[in-house]
Short mmCIF file of all heavy atoms in Angstrom, two decimals:
data_model
loop_
_atom_site.label_atom_id
_atom_site.label_comp_id
_atom_site.label_asym_id
_atom_site.label_seq_id
_atom_site.Cartn_x
_atom_site.Cartn_y
_atom_site.Cartn_z
N MET A 32 -10.14 -0.53 -13.94
CA MET A 32 -9.40 -1.05 -12.78
C MET A 32 -8.22 -1.91 -13.22
O MET A 32 -7.12 -1.82 -12.66
CB MET A 32 -10.37 -1.85 -11.91
CG MET A 32 -9.75 -2.49 -10.69
SD MET A 32 -11.09 -3.13 -9.64
CE MET A 32 -10.20 -4.29 -8.63
N ALA A 33 -8.43 -2.73 -14.26
CA ALA A 33 -7.35 -3.60 -14.74
C ALA A 33 -6.19 -2.77 -15.31
O ALA A 33 -5.01 -3.07 -15.05
CB ALA A 33 -7.89 -4.56 -15.79
N LEU A 34 -6.53 -1.72 -16.06
CA LEU A 34 -5.48 -0.89 -16.64
C LEU A 34 -4.75 -0.09 -15.56
O LEU A 34 -3.53 0.08 -15.60
CB LEU A 34 -6.06 0.06 -17.71
CG LEU A 34 -6.69 -0.64 -18.93
CD1 LEU A 34 -7.19 0.39 -19.95
CD2 LEU A 34 -5.74 -1.63 -19.60
N LEU A 35 -5.53 0.35 -14.57
CA LEU A 35 -4.92 1.12 -13.48
C LEU A 35 -3.98 0.23 -12.65
O LEU A 35 -2.90 0.68 -12.23
CB LEU A 35 -6.04 1.69 -12.60
CG LEU A 35 -5.72 2.85 -11.68
CD1 LEU A 35 -5.03 4.00 -12.41
CD2 LEU A 35 -7.01 3.37 -11.02
N LEU A 36 -4.36 -1.03 -12.45
CA LEU A 36 -3.49 -1.93 -11.70
C LEU A 36 -2.17 -2.13 -12.46
O LEU A 36 -1.08 -2.12 -11.87
CB LEU A 36 -4.18 -3.28 -11.44
CG LEU A 36 -3.32 -4.33 -10.70
CD1 LEU A 36 -2.82 -3.79 -9.35
CD2 LEU A 36 -4.10 -5.63 -10.47
N GLN A 37 -2.26 -2.28 -13.78
CA GLN A 37 -1.03 -2.43 -14.59
C GLN A 37 -0.12 -1.22 -14.39
O GLN A 37 1.10 -1.34 -14.20
CB GLN A 37 -1.37 -2.55 -16.07
CG GLN A 37 -2.08 -3.84 -16.42
CD GLN A 37 -2.58 -3.84 -17.86
OE1 GLN A 37 -2.06 -3.13 -18.72
NE2 GLN A 37 -3.60 -4.63 -18.13
N ASN A 38 -0.76 -0.07 -14.45
CA ASN A 38 -0.06 1.19 -14.26
C ASN A 38 0.66 1.27 -12.91
O ASN A 38 1.83 1.64 -12.82
CB ASN A 38 -1.18 2.24 -14.33
CG ASN A 38 -0.70 3.57 -14.64
OD1 ASN A 38 -0.37 4.27 -13.69
ND2 ASN A 38 -0.63 3.93 -15.91
N LYS A 39 -0.05 0.88 -11.87
CA LYS A 39 0.53 0.93 -10.52
C LYS A 39 1.63 -0.11 -10.36
O LYS A 39 2.63 0.12 -9.67
CB LYS A 39 -0.55 0.71 -9.44
CG LYS A 39 -1.65 1.76 -9.44
CD LYS A 39 -1.11 3.12 -9.08
CE LYS A 39 -2.20 4.17 -9.04
NZ LYS A 39 -1.68 5.55 -9.03
N LEU A 40 1.46 -1.27 -10.99
CA LEU A 40 2.51 -2.30 -10.91
C LEU A 40 3.78 -1.82 -11.61
O LEU A 40 4.89 -2.06 -11.15
CB LEU A 40 2.03 -3.63 -11.52
CG LEU A 40 0.96 -4.38 -10.70
CD1 LEU A 40 0.37 -5.55 -11.51
CD2 LEU A 40 1.53 -4.90 -9.38
N ASP A 41 3.61 -1.09 -12.72
CA ASP A 41 4.78 -0.51 -13.40
C ASP A 41 5.51 0.46 -12.48
O ASP A 41 6.73 0.48 -12.42
CB ASP A 41 4.35 0.23 -14.68
CG ASP A 41 4.02 -0.73 -15.81
OD1 ASP A 41 4.45 -1.89 -15.73
OD2 ASP A 41 3.34 -0.31 -16.76
N GLU A 42 4.71 1.29 -11.79
CA GLU A 42 5.29 2.26 -10.86
C GLU A 42 6.09 1.53 -9.77
O GLU A 42 7.21 1.94 -9.42
CB GLU A 42 4.13 3.04 -10.23
CG GLU A 42 4.45 4.46 -9.88
CD GLU A 42 3.18 5.17 -9.39
OE1 GLU A 42 2.14 5.15 -10.11
OE2 GLU A 42 3.22 5.74 -8.29
N CYS A 43 5.52 0.44 -9.27
CA CYS A 43 6.20 -0.34 -8.21
C CYS A 43 7.49 -0.96 -8.73
O CYS A 43 8.49 -1.03 -8.03
CB CYS A 43 5.29 -1.45 -7.70
SG CYS A 43 3.87 -0.83 -6.79
#
Side-chain angles (χ1 to χ4, degrees):
M32 178 170 161
L34 297 182
L35 199 51
L36 178 57
Q37 291 172 25
N38 201 271
K39 298 296 181 195
L40 289 170
D41 283 342
E42 212 174 307
C43 292

